Amino acid sequence: MDYDIKDINLAKQGKLRSEWAAQEMPVLEQIQKRFKKEKPLKGVKVAACLHVTTETGNLMVTLKEGGADVYLCASNPLSTQDDVAAHLVKNHKISVFAIKGENNKTYYDHINSVLKVKPNITMDDGADLVSTLHKDKKGWIDEMYGGTEETTTGVIRLQSMANDGVLKYPIIAVNDANTKHFFDNRYGTGQSTLDGIIRATNRLISGNTFVVVGYGWCGKGLALR
Ligand SMILES: NC(=O)c1ccc[n+]([C@@H]2O[C@H](COP(=O)([O-])OP(=O)(O)OC[C@H]3O[C@@H](n4cnc5c(N)ncnc54)[C@H](O)[C@@H]3O)[C@@H](O)[C@H]2O)c1
Protein backbone atom coordinates (compact mmCIF):
# COMPACT_ATOMS: atom_id res chain seq x y z
CA MET A 1 0.00 0.00 0.00
CA ASP A 2 1.39 3.37 -1.12
CA TYR A 3 1.36 6.40 1.21
CA ASP A 4 3.45 9.37 2.32
CA ILE A 5 2.84 10.75 5.80
CA LYS A 6 4.89 12.23 8.63
CA ASP A 7 4.90 9.44 11.22
CA ILE A 8 2.83 6.24 11.39
CA ASN A 9 3.33 6.15 15.18
CA LEU A 10 0.90 9.04 15.56
CA ALA A 11 -1.98 6.71 14.63
CA LYS A 12 -3.17 6.13 18.20
CA GLN A 13 -3.64 9.83 18.90
CA GLY A 14 -5.31 10.28 15.49
CA LYS A 15 -7.76 7.49 16.29
CA LEU A 16 -8.74 9.03 19.62
CA ARG A 17 -9.26 12.48 18.11
CA SER A 18 -11.23 11.06 15.15
CA GLU A 19 -13.54 9.24 17.58
CA TRP A 20 -14.03 12.48 19.49
CA ALA A 21 -15.01 14.30 16.28
CA ALA A 22 -17.32 11.43 15.27
CA GLN A 23 -19.47 12.12 18.32
CA GLU A 24 -20.53 15.36 16.60
CA MET A 25 -21.15 13.68 13.22
CA PRO A 26 -24.38 11.69 13.69
CA VAL A 27 -25.53 11.96 10.06
CA LEU A 28 -22.28 10.52 8.78
CA GLU A 29 -22.62 7.70 11.32
CA GLN A 30 -26.02 6.77 9.89
CA ILE A 31 -24.69 6.84 6.34
CA GLN A 32 -21.77 4.67 7.43
CA LYS A 33 -24.14 2.04 8.85
CA ARG A 34 -26.06 1.93 5.54
CA PHE A 35 -22.88 1.87 3.47
CA LYS A 36 -21.54 -1.08 5.48
CA LYS A 37 -24.56 -3.15 4.43
CA GLU A 38 -25.25 -1.85 0.92
CA LYS A 39 -21.71 -1.19 -0.41
CA PRO A 40 -22.93 1.31 -3.05
CA LEU A 41 -19.38 2.34 -3.98
CA LYS A 42 -17.99 -1.15 -4.57
CA GLY A 43 -15.11 -0.96 -7.04
CA VAL A 44 -15.22 2.85 -7.33
CA LYS A 45 -11.91 4.68 -7.04
CA VAL A 46 -12.22 7.98 -5.16
CA ALA A 47 -9.42 10.56 -5.26
CA ALA A 48 -9.85 13.26 -2.63
CA CYS A 49 -7.91 16.49 -2.12
CA LEU A 50 -9.34 17.93 1.09
CA HIS A 51 -8.26 19.36 4.45
CA VAL A 52 -6.76 16.25 6.11
CA THR A 53 -8.52 16.63 9.46
CA THR A 54 -10.52 14.40 11.80
CA GLU A 55 -13.80 15.26 10.02
CA THR A 56 -12.45 14.50 6.55
CA GLY A 57 -10.91 11.32 7.93
CA ASN A 58 -14.30 10.15 9.17
CA LEU A 59 -15.78 10.89 5.75
CA MET A 60 -13.01 8.88 4.04
CA VAL A 61 -13.68 5.92 6.35
CA THR A 62 -17.39 6.14 5.46
CA LEU A 63 -16.61 6.00 1.73
CA LYS A 64 -14.35 3.01 2.34
CA GLU A 65 -17.13 1.28 4.31
CA GLY A 66 -19.28 1.86 1.22
CA GLY A 67 -16.83 -0.20 -0.83
CA ALA A 68 -14.75 2.57 -2.41
CA ASP A 69 -10.98 2.52 -2.87
CA VAL A 70 -10.00 5.81 -1.25
CA TYR A 71 -6.91 7.93 -1.94
CA LEU A 72 -6.43 11.18 -0.03
CA CYS A 73 -4.08 14.15 -0.34
CA ALA A 74 -4.15 17.59 1.27
CA SER A 75 -5.89 20.65 -0.20
CA ASN A 76 -3.95 22.90 2.18
CA PRO A 77 -0.47 21.98 3.48
CA LEU A 78 -1.08 23.94 6.68
CA SER A 79 -4.30 22.27 7.84
CA THR A 80 -3.03 18.68 7.66
CA GLN A 81 -3.29 16.81 10.96
CA ASP A 82 -0.42 14.32 10.81
CA ASP A 83 -1.99 12.07 13.45
CA VAL A 84 -5.16 11.70 11.38
CA ALA A 85 -3.12 10.82 8.30
CA ALA A 86 -1.37 8.09 10.35
CA HIS A 87 -4.68 6.80 11.73
CA LEU A 88 -6.21 6.47 8.25
CA VAL A 89 -3.19 4.58 6.93
CA LYS A 90 -2.68 2.28 9.91
CA ASN A 91 -6.22 1.57 11.06
CA HIS A 92 -8.18 1.82 7.80
CA LYS A 93 -5.64 1.02 5.06
CA ILE A 94 -6.48 4.26 3.27
CA SER A 95 -3.68 5.66 1.07
CA VAL A 96 -2.88 9.14 2.37
CA PHE A 97 -0.33 11.51 0.88
CA ALA A 98 -0.11 14.52 3.19
CA ILE A 99 2.45 16.03 5.54
CA LYS A 100 1.77 19.20 7.48
CA GLY A 101 3.81 22.10 6.11
CA GLU A 102 4.77 20.29 2.87
CA ASN A 103 6.31 22.57 0.24
CA ASN A 104 4.79 23.36 -3.14
CA LYS A 105 6.65 20.55 -4.94
CA THR A 106 5.58 17.88 -2.43
CA TYR A 107 2.03 19.27 -2.52
CA TYR A 108 1.81 18.61 -6.28
CA ASP A 109 3.73 15.30 -6.01
CA HIS A 110 0.99 14.19 -3.58
CA ILE A 111 -1.78 15.34 -5.93
CA ASN A 112 -0.11 13.33 -8.70
CA SER A 113 0.15 10.31 -6.38
CA VAL A 114 -3.63 10.16 -5.91
CA LEU A 115 -4.29 10.84 -9.60
CA LYS A 116 -1.97 7.97 -10.57
CA VAL A 117 -4.66 5.49 -9.50
CA LYS A 118 -6.93 6.68 -12.35
CA PRO A 119 -9.89 7.63 -10.17
CA ASN A 120 -13.58 7.52 -11.11
CA ILE A 121 -14.60 10.28 -8.70
CA THR A 122 -12.73 13.39 -7.52
CA MET A 123 -13.47 15.27 -4.31
CA ASP A 124 -11.74 18.62 -4.42
CA ASP A 125 -11.36 21.72 -2.25
CA GLY A 126 -9.96 24.57 -4.33
CA ALA A 127 -9.84 22.80 -7.74
CA ASP A 128 -6.10 21.96 -7.77
CA LEU A 129 -6.83 18.23 -8.17
CA VAL A 130 -9.26 18.73 -11.04
CA SER A 131 -7.10 21.30 -12.82
CA THR A 132 -4.02 19.03 -12.54
CA LEU A 133 -6.08 16.15 -13.93
CA HIS A 134 -7.21 18.28 -16.87
CA LYS A 135 -3.69 19.58 -17.53
CA ASP A 136 -1.49 16.51 -17.16
CA LYS A 137 -3.69 13.40 -17.26
CA LYS A 138 -6.13 14.15 -20.06
CA GLY A 139 -6.25 10.55 -21.25
CA TRP A 140 -7.80 9.36 -18.00
CA ILE A 141 -10.79 11.67 -18.02
CA ASP A 142 -12.89 9.09 -19.90
CA GLU A 143 -12.90 6.98 -16.69
CA MET A 144 -14.44 9.75 -14.59
CA TYR A 145 -18.03 9.52 -13.34
CA GLY A 146 -18.00 12.94 -11.68
CA GLY A 147 -16.76 14.92 -8.75
CA THR A 148 -17.44 17.35 -5.95
CA GLU A 149 -15.93 20.77 -5.27
CA GLU A 150 -16.05 22.10 -1.75
CA THR A 151 -15.17 25.77 -1.70
CA THR A 152 -16.09 29.15 -3.19
CA THR A 153 -12.74 29.65 -4.94
CA GLY A 154 -12.83 26.15 -6.47
CA VAL A 155 -16.38 26.62 -7.72
CA ILE A 156 -15.36 29.92 -9.37
CA ARG A 157 -12.39 28.22 -11.11
CA LEU A 158 -14.51 25.28 -12.31
CA GLN A 159 -17.37 27.54 -13.42
CA SER A 160 -14.92 29.40 -15.62
CA MET A 161 -13.63 26.09 -17.07
CA ALA A 162 -17.26 25.05 -17.71
CA ASN A 163 -18.00 28.40 -19.40
CA ASP A 164 -14.98 27.87 -21.69
CA GLY A 165 -16.21 24.35 -22.49
CA VAL A 166 -13.05 22.68 -21.11
CA LEU A 167 -14.47 20.99 -17.99
CA LYS A 168 -14.68 17.36 -19.09
CA TYR A 169 -16.95 15.79 -16.47
CA PRO A 170 -19.77 16.93 -14.16
CA ILE A 171 -18.90 18.32 -10.75
CA ILE A 172 -21.28 19.09 -7.88
CA ALA A 173 -20.67 22.54 -6.35
CA VAL A 174 -20.92 21.60 -2.67
CA ASN A 175 -20.44 25.25 -1.72
CA ASP A 176 -23.80 26.10 -3.33
CA ALA A 177 -25.62 23.93 -0.77
CA ASN A 178 -27.23 26.10 1.91
CA THR A 179 -25.80 23.93 4.67
CA LYS A 180 -22.31 24.71 3.31
CA HIS A 181 -22.07 28.45 2.70
CA PHE A 182 -24.69 29.49 5.28
CA PHE A 183 -23.12 27.31 7.95
CA ASP A 184 -19.54 26.17 7.31
CA ASN A 185 -18.35 29.36 5.58
CA ARG A 186 -20.17 31.72 7.91
CA TYR A 187 -19.96 30.08 11.33
CA GLY A 188 -17.16 27.54 10.81
CA THR A 189 -14.66 29.80 9.07
CA GLY A 190 -15.77 32.73 11.25
CA GLN A 191 -14.75 30.77 14.33
CA SER A 192 -11.61 29.10 12.96
CA THR A 193 -10.20 32.34 11.51
CA LEU A 194 -10.40 33.99 14.89
CA ASP A 195 -8.97 30.88 16.54
CA GLY A 196 -6.07 30.86 14.05
CA ILE A 197 -5.28 34.54 14.64
CA ILE A 198 -5.27 34.07 18.41
CA ARG A 199 -3.02 31.00 18.24
CA ALA A 200 -0.61 32.62 15.76
CA THR A 201 -0.27 35.96 17.56
CA ASN A 202 -0.88 34.88 21.16
CA ARG A 203 -2.45 38.27 21.87
CA LEU A 204 -5.34 39.39 23.98
CA ILE A 205 -7.81 40.56 21.37
CA SER A 206 -10.04 42.67 23.61
CA GLY A 207 -9.75 46.34 22.71
CA ASN A 208 -8.15 45.73 19.29
CA THR A 209 -9.67 47.04 16.08
CA PHE A 210 -10.23 44.39 13.38
CA VAL A 211 -10.49 45.03 9.66
CA VAL A 212 -12.22 42.28 7.68
CA VAL A 213 -11.40 42.51 3.96
CA GLY A 214 -14.03 40.83 1.78
CA TYR A 215 -17.58 40.82 3.12
CA GLY A 216 -18.86 37.51 1.74
CA TRP A 217 -19.97 34.49 3.79
CA CYS A 218 -16.62 33.99 5.55
CA GLY A 219 -16.14 37.72 6.10
CA LYS A 220 -19.65 38.08 7.53
CA GLY A 221 -19.06 35.13 9.85
CA LEU A 222 -15.77 36.54 11.11
CA ALA A 223 -17.31 39.99 11.65
CA LEU A 224 -20.13 38.30 13.57
CA ARG A 225 -17.65 36.66 15.94
N1 LIG B 1 -10.44 27.24 4.77
C1 LIG B 1 -11.73 26.99 4.84
O1 LIG B 1 -12.14 26.15 5.62
C2 LIG B 1 -12.70 27.74 3.95
C3 LIG B 1 -14.05 27.54 4.09
C4 LIG B 1 -14.92 28.27 3.30
C5 LIG B 1 -14.42 29.16 2.37
N2 LIG B 1 -13.09 29.33 2.21
C6 LIG B 1 -12.51 30.30 1.23
O2 LIG B 1 -12.67 31.61 1.78
C7 LIG B 1 -12.82 32.57 0.72
C8 LIG B 1 -14.10 33.38 0.88
O3 LIG B 1 -15.22 32.53 0.72
P1 LIG B 1 -16.71 33.10 0.79
O4 LIG B 1 -17.63 31.93 0.72
O5 LIG B 1 -16.83 34.08 1.88
O6 LIG B 1 -16.77 33.86 -0.64
P2 LIG B 1 -17.81 35.01 -1.07
O7 LIG B 1 -17.82 35.01 -2.54
O8 LIG B 1 -19.10 34.86 -0.31
O9 LIG B 1 -17.09 36.32 -0.52
C9 LIG B 1 -15.93 36.86 -1.07
C10 LIG B 1 -16.05 38.37 -0.89
O10 LIG B 1 -14.79 38.99 -1.22
C11 LIG B 1 -15.06 40.16 -1.98
N3 LIG B 1 -13.85 40.48 -2.73
C12 LIG B 1 -13.37 39.87 -3.84
N4 LIG B 1 -12.24 40.44 -4.22
C13 LIG B 1 -11.97 41.44 -3.36
C14 LIG B 1 -10.93 42.41 -3.25
N5 LIG B 1 -9.93 42.42 -4.12
N6 LIG B 1 -10.97 43.27 -2.22
C15 LIG B 1 -11.99 43.24 -1.31
N7 LIG B 1 -13.02 42.35 -1.38
C16 LIG B 1 -13.00 41.46 -2.39
C17 LIG B 1 -16.26 39.79 -2.81
O11 LIG B 1 -16.94 40.95 -3.25
C18 LIG B 1 -17.10 38.98 -1.80
O12 LIG B 1 -17.95 39.82 -1.04
C19 LIG B 1 -12.79 31.76 -0.56
O13 LIG B 1 -11.46 31.76 -1.04
C20 LIG B 1 -13.21 30.38 -0.10
O14 LIG B 1 -12.79 29.41 -1.01
C21 LIG B 1 -12.21 28.64 3.00
Side-chain angles (χ1 to χ4, degrees):
M1 185 187 144
D2 210 8
Y3 63 88
D4 188 21
I5 59 171
K6 186 173 179 202
D7 181 2
I8 194 82
N9 296 314
L10 298 171
K12 193 174 168 200
Q13 182 190 319
K15 180 171 186 287
L16 286 174
R17 292 200 317 104
S18 299
E19 285 169 359
W20 174 262
Q23 292 175 16
E24 303 285 337
M25 305 177 82
V27 177
L28 198 67
E29 189 187 357
Q30 283 183 35
I31 293 171
Q32 201 175 117
K33 275 187 194 143
R34 245 188 73 194
F35 272 20
K36 250 185 197 172
K37 276 188 273 169
E38 296 173 14
K39 304 278 176 203
L41 297 172
K42 195 162 190 287
V44 177
K45 284 184 277 185
V46 177
C49 181
L50 302 169
H51 292 288
V52 180
T53 60
T54 50
E55 298 84 358
T56 298
N58 290 337
L59 174 62
M60 296 299 108
V61 171
T62 303
L63 299 175
K64 180 123 201 242
E65 292 287 4
D69 293 327
V70 181
Y71 305 85
L72 174 67
C73 63
S75 60
N76 182 334
L78 298 177
S79 64
T80 295
Q81 297 171 351
D82 291 315
D83 58 345
V84 173
H87 160 62
L88 293 173
V89 169
K90 187 162 182 188
N91 300 320
H92 294 282
K93 306 282 172 277
I94 290 174
S95 290
V96 183
F97 302 86
I99 299 171
K100 185 173 181 175
E102 64 194 12
N103 64 23
N104 201 47
K105 182 183 177 300
T106 308
Y107 176 80
Y108 279 100
D109 284 350
H110 284 164
I111 286 183
N112 281 307
S113 294
V114 304
L115 288 177
K116 221 165 52 186
V117 307
K118 301 192 181 179
N120 309 113
I121 290 176
T122 54
M123 301 179 77
D124 213 349
D125 189 336
D128 285 347
L129 185 68
V130 172
S131 56
T132 305
L133 178 65
H134 277 70
K135 210 168 49 199
D136 303 337
K137 312 270 183 316
K138 287 199 187 76
W140 300 356
I141 286 180
D142 297 345
E143 325 220 352
M144 298 297 308
Y145 304 157
T148 59
E149 168 51 54
E150 205 87 3
T151 200
T152 319
T153 294
V155 171
I156 292 169
R157 290 177 72 186
L158 296 177
Q159 190 64 61
S160 114
M161 285 172 74
N163 293 346
D164 292 344
V166 295
L167 186 63
K168 295 295 182 207
Y169 61 93
I171 296 188
I172 296 169
V174 178
N175 197 69
D176 289 356
N178 290 348
T179 46
K180 173 65 169 67
H181 62 270
F182 283 163
F183 197 84
D184 175 74
N185 297 27
R186 179 161 52 176
Y187 300 117
T189 311
Q191 176 175 323
S192 58
T193 303
L194 202 50
D195 178 60
I197 291 169
I198 293 168
R199 282 180 202 226
T201 62
N202 196 24
R203 283 180 59 170
L204 179 68
I205 58 165
S206 262
N208 284 277
T209 303
F210 271 78
V211 178
V212 180
V213 181
Y215 199 59
W217 289 112
C218 294
K220 286 185 176 78
L222 177 57
L224 193 70
R225 301 298 295 197

PDB file of all heavy atoms in Angstrom, residues 182-199:
ATOM      1  N   PHE A 182     -24.029  28.828   4.149  1.00  0.00           N
ATOM      2  CA  PHE A 182     -24.694  29.488   5.284  1.00  0.00           C
ATOM      3  C   PHE A 182     -24.094  29.067   6.626  1.00  0.00           C
ATOM      4  O   PHE A 182     -24.163  29.786   7.592  1.00  0.00           O
ATOM      5  CB  PHE A 182     -26.191  29.143   5.333  1.00  0.00           C
ATOM      6  CG  PHE A 182     -27.034  29.872   4.334  1.00  0.00           C
ATOM      7  CD1 PHE A 182     -28.308  29.426   4.028  1.00  0.00           C
ATOM      8  CD2 PHE A 182     -26.579  31.025   3.705  1.00  0.00           C
ATOM      9  CE1 PHE A 182     -29.100  30.091   3.110  1.00  0.00           C
ATOM     10  CE2 PHE A 182     -27.364  31.700   2.781  1.00  0.00           C
ATOM     11  CZ  PHE A 182     -28.630  31.230   2.481  1.00  0.00           C
ATOM     12  N   PHE A 183     -23.556  27.842   6.663  1.00  0.00           N
ATOM     13  CA  PHE A 183     -23.119  27.314   7.951  1.00  0.00           C
ATOM     14  C   PHE A 183     -21.598  27.209   8.055  1.00  0.00           C
ATOM     15  O   PHE A 183     -20.979  27.893   8.865  1.00  0.00           O
ATOM     16  CB  PHE A 183     -23.786  25.949   8.210  1.00  0.00           C
ATOM     17  CG  PHE A 183     -23.717  25.550   9.647  1.00  0.00           C
ATOM     18  CD1 PHE A 183     -24.652  26.016  10.559  1.00  0.00           C
ATOM     19  CD2 PHE A 183     -22.695  24.739  10.109  1.00  0.00           C
ATOM     20  CE1 PHE A 183     -24.568  25.676  11.904  1.00  0.00           C
ATOM     21  CE2 PHE A 183     -22.606  24.400  11.446  1.00  0.00           C
ATOM     22  CZ  PHE A 183     -23.544  24.866  12.345  1.00  0.00           C
ATOM     23  N   ASP A 184     -20.999  26.374   7.210  1.00  0.00           N
ATOM     24  CA  ASP A 184     -19.543  26.171   7.310  1.00  0.00           C
ATOM     25  C   ASP A 184     -18.780  27.469   7.039  1.00  0.00           C
ATOM     26  O   ASP A 184     -17.917  27.865   7.820  1.00  0.00           O
ATOM     27  CB  ASP A 184     -19.107  25.079   6.328  1.00  0.00           C
ATOM     28  CG  ASP A 184     -17.600  24.903   6.306  1.00  0.00           C
ATOM     29  OD1 ASP A 184     -17.051  24.340   7.267  1.00  0.00           O
ATOM     30  OD2 ASP A 184     -16.960  25.342   5.339  1.00  0.00           O
ATOM     31  N   ASN A 185     -19.101  28.141   5.921  1.00  0.00           N
ATOM     32  CA  ASN A 185     -18.353  29.358   5.580  1.00  0.00           C
ATOM     33  C   ASN A 185     -18.585  30.436   6.640  1.00  0.00           C
ATOM     34  O   ASN A 185     -17.645  31.063   7.111  1.00  0.00           O
ATOM     35  CB  ASN A 185     -18.784  29.898   4.203  1.00  0.00           C
ATOM     36  CG  ASN A 185     -18.479  28.932   3.079  1.00  0.00           C
ATOM     37  OD1 ASN A 185     -18.422  27.735   3.304  1.00  0.00           O
ATOM     38  ND2 ASN A 185     -18.312  29.429   1.883  1.00  0.00           N
ATOM     39  N   ARG A 186     -19.853  30.625   6.991  1.00  0.00           N
ATOM     40  CA  ARG A 186     -20.175  31.721   7.907  1.00  0.00           C
ATOM     41  C   ARG A 186     -19.721  31.412   9.338  1.00  0.00           C
ATOM     42  O   ARG A 186     -18.900  32.114   9.901  1.00  0.00           O
ATOM     43  CB  ARG A 186     -21.683  32.000   7.870  1.00  0.00           C
ATOM     44  CG  ARG A 186     -22.078  33.119   8.815  1.00  0.00           C
ATOM     45  CD  ARG A 186     -23.425  33.721   8.465  1.00  0.00           C
ATOM     46  NE  ARG A 186     -24.481  32.747   8.332  1.00  0.00           N
ATOM     47  CZ  ARG A 186     -25.762  33.080   8.101  1.00  0.00           C
ATOM     48  NH1 ARG A 186     -26.107  34.348   7.969  1.00  0.00           N
ATOM     49  NH2 ARG A 186     -26.678  32.153   7.981  1.00  0.00           N
ATOM     50  N   TYR A 187     -20.258  30.346   9.921  1.00  0.00           N
ATOM     51  CA  TYR A 187     -19.959  30.083  11.331  1.00  0.00           C
ATOM     52  C   TYR A 187     -18.636  29.334  11.522  1.00  0.00           C
ATOM     53  O   TYR A 187     -17.877  29.629  12.438  1.00  0.00           O
ATOM     54  CB  TYR A 187     -21.104  29.295  11.982  1.00  0.00           C
ATOM     55  CG  TYR A 187     -22.413  30.043  11.926  1.00  0.00           C
ATOM     56  CD1 TYR A 187     -23.499  29.541  11.232  1.00  0.00           C
ATOM     57  CD2 TYR A 187     -22.546  31.292  12.550  1.00  0.00           C
ATOM     58  CE1 TYR A 187     -24.698  30.234  11.172  1.00  0.00           C
ATOM     59  CE2 TYR A 187     -23.738  32.002  12.481  1.00  0.00           C
ATOM     60  CZ  TYR A 187     -24.809  31.467  11.786  1.00  0.00           C
ATOM     61  OH  TYR A 187     -25.980  32.162  11.719  1.00  0.00           O
ATOM     62  N   GLY A 188     -18.378  28.341  10.666  1.00  0.00           N
ATOM     63  CA  GLY A 188     -17.157  27.538  10.815  1.00  0.00           C
ATOM     64  C   GLY A 188     -15.909  28.376  10.570  1.00  0.00           C
ATOM     65  O   GLY A 188     -15.011  28.456  11.418  1.00  0.00           O
ATOM     66  N   THR A 189     -15.849  29.020   9.401  1.00  0.00           N
ATOM     67  CA  THR A 189     -14.661  29.803   9.070  1.00  0.00           C
ATOM     68  C   THR A 189     -14.580  31.036   9.956  1.00  0.00           C
ATOM     69  O   THR A 189     -13.483  31.471  10.331  1.00  0.00           O
ATOM     70  CB  THR A 189     -14.659  30.183   7.577  1.00  0.00           C
ATOM     71  OG1 THR A 189     -14.927  29.009   6.831  1.00  0.00           O
ATOM     72  CG2 THR A 189     -13.326  30.739   7.140  1.00  0.00           C
ATOM     73  N   GLY A 190     -15.758  31.605  10.311  1.00  0.00           N
ATOM     74  CA  GLY A 190     -15.767  32.732  11.250  1.00  0.00           C
ATOM     75  C   GLY A 190     -15.048  32.372  12.531  1.00  0.00           C
ATOM     76  O   GLY A 190     -14.189  33.111  13.022  1.00  0.00           O
ATOM     77  N   GLN A 191     -15.376  31.196  13.066  1.00  0.00           N
ATOM     78  CA  GLN A 191     -14.749  30.769  14.326  1.00  0.00           C
ATOM     79  C   GLN A 191     -13.275  30.403  14.137  1.00  0.00           C
ATOM     80  O   GLN A 191     -12.420  30.824  14.915  1.00  0.00           O
ATOM     81  CB  GLN A 191     -15.506  29.571  14.907  1.00  0.00           C
ATOM     82  CG  GLN A 191     -14.849  29.013  16.165  1.00  0.00           C
ATOM     83  CD  GLN A 191     -15.661  27.909  16.827  1.00  0.00           C
ATOM     84  OE1 GLN A 191     -16.887  27.960  16.845  1.00  0.00           O
ATOM     85  NE2 GLN A 191     -14.984  26.920  17.359  1.00  0.00           N
ATOM     86  N   SER A 192     -12.984  29.615  13.075  1.00  0.00           N
ATOM     87  CA  SER A 192     -11.614  29.102  12.961  1.00  0.00           C
ATOM     88  C   SER A 192     -10.628  30.201  12.570  1.00  0.00           C
ATOM     89  O   SER A 192      -9.447  30.124  12.919  1.00  0.00           O
ATOM     90  CB  SER A 192     -11.546  27.913  12.002  1.00  0.00           C
ATOM     91  OG  SER A 192     -12.018  28.275  10.743  1.00  0.00           O
ATOM     92  N   THR A 193     -11.102  31.231  11.857  1.00  0.00           N
ATOM     93  CA  THR A 193     -10.195  32.341  11.513  1.00  0.00           C
ATOM     94  C   THR A 193      -9.748  33.054  12.782  1.00  0.00           C
ATOM     95  O   THR A 193      -8.550  33.318  12.985  1.00  0.00           O
ATOM     96  CB  THR A 193     -10.902  33.341  10.577  1.00  0.00           C
ATOM     97  OG1 THR A 193     -11.346  32.646   9.423  1.00  0.00           O
ATOM     98  CG2 THR A 193      -9.965  34.469  10.156  1.00  0.00           C
ATOM     99  N   LEU A 194     -10.717  33.315  13.634  1.00  0.00           N
ATOM    100  CA  LEU A 194     -10.399  33.991  14.893  1.00  0.00           C
ATOM    101  C   LEU A 194      -9.467  33.115  15.746  1.00  0.00           C
ATOM    102  O   LEU A 194      -8.471  33.591  16.301  1.00  0.00           O
ATOM    103  CB  LEU A 194     -11.710  34.272  15.643  1.00  0.00           C
ATOM    104  CG  LEU A 194     -11.683  35.386  16.669  1.00  0.00           C
ATOM    105  CD1 LEU A 194     -11.080  36.664  16.118  1.00  0.00           C
ATOM    106  CD2 LEU A 194     -13.100  35.649  17.176  1.00  0.00           C
ATOM    107  N   ASP A 195      -9.788  31.836  15.790  1.00  0.00           N
ATOM    108  CA  ASP A 195      -8.971  30.883  16.544  1.00  0.00           C
ATOM    109  C   ASP A 195      -7.534  30.879  16.009  1.00  0.00           C
ATOM    110  O   ASP A 195      -6.566  30.914  16.777  1.00  0.00           O
ATOM    111  CB  ASP A 195      -9.605  29.490  16.422  1.00  0.00           C
ATOM    112  CG  ASP A 195      -8.796  28.421  17.135  1.00  0.00           C
ATOM    113  OD1 ASP A 195      -8.614  28.555  18.349  1.00  0.00           O
ATOM    114  OD2 ASP A 195      -8.348  27.477  16.467  1.00  0.00           O
ATOM    115  N   GLY A 196      -7.395  30.874  14.673  1.00  0.00           N
ATOM    116  CA  GLY A 196      -6.074  30.857  14.049  1.00  0.00           C
ATOM    117  C   GLY A 196      -5.280  32.113  14.382  1.00  0.00           C
ATOM    118  O   GLY A 196      -4.077  32.049  14.686  1.00  0.00           O
ATOM    119  N   ILE A 197      -5.964  33.267  14.336  1.00  0.00           N
ATOM    120  CA  ILE A 197      -5.276  34.543  14.635  1.00  0.00           C
ATOM    121  C   ILE A 197      -4.791  34.548  16.087  1.00  0.00           C
ATOM    122  O   ILE A 197      -3.644  34.923  16.370  1.00  0.00           O
ATOM    123  CB  ILE A 197      -6.215  35.741  14.357  1.00  0.00           C
ATOM    124  CG1 ILE A 197      -6.458  35.873  12.847  1.00  0.00           C
ATOM    125  CG2 ILE A 197      -5.625  37.044  14.915  1.00  0.00           C
ATOM    126  CD1 ILE A 197      -7.567  36.839  12.474  1.00  0.00           C
ATOM    127  N   ILE A 198      -5.647  34.075  16.987  1.00  0.00           N
ATOM    128  CA  ILE A 198      -5.272  34.071  18.406  1.00  0.00           C
ATOM    129  C   ILE A 198      -4.084  33.137  18.646  1.00  0.00           C
ATOM    130  O   ILE A 198      -3.122  33.484  19.319  1.00  0.00           O
ATOM    131  CB  ILE A 198      -6.479  33.681  19.292  1.00  0.00           C
ATOM    132  CG1 ILE A 198      -7.549  34.776  19.226  1.00  0.00           C
ATOM    133  CG2 ILE A 198      -6.040  33.459  20.746  1.00  0.00           C
ATOM    134  CD1 ILE A 198      -8.887  34.376  19.822  1.00  0.00           C
ATOM    135  N   ARG A 199      -4.138  31.950  18.065  1.00  0.00           N
ATOM    136  CA  ARG A 199      -3.023  31.004  18.238  1.00  0.00           C
ATOM    137  C   ARG A 199      -1.728  31.548  17.659  1.00  0.00           C
ATOM    138  O   ARG A 199      -0.654  31.378  18.228  1.00  0.00           O
ATOM    139  CB  ARG A 199      -3.336  29.681  17.533  1.00  0.00           C
ATOM    140  CG  ARG A 199      -4.282  28.816  18.303  1.00  0.00           C
ATOM    141  CD  ARG A 199      -4.502  27.548  17.505  1.00  0.00           C
ATOM    142  NE  ARG A 199      -5.746  26.923  17.883  1.00  0.00           N
ATOM    143  CZ  ARG A 199      -5.858  25.630  18.120  1.00  0.00           C
ATOM    144  NH1 ARG A 199      -4.827  24.836  17.996  1.00  0.00           N
ATOM    145  NH2 ARG A 199      -7.023  25.128  18.450  1.00  0.00           N
TER     146      ARG A 199
END
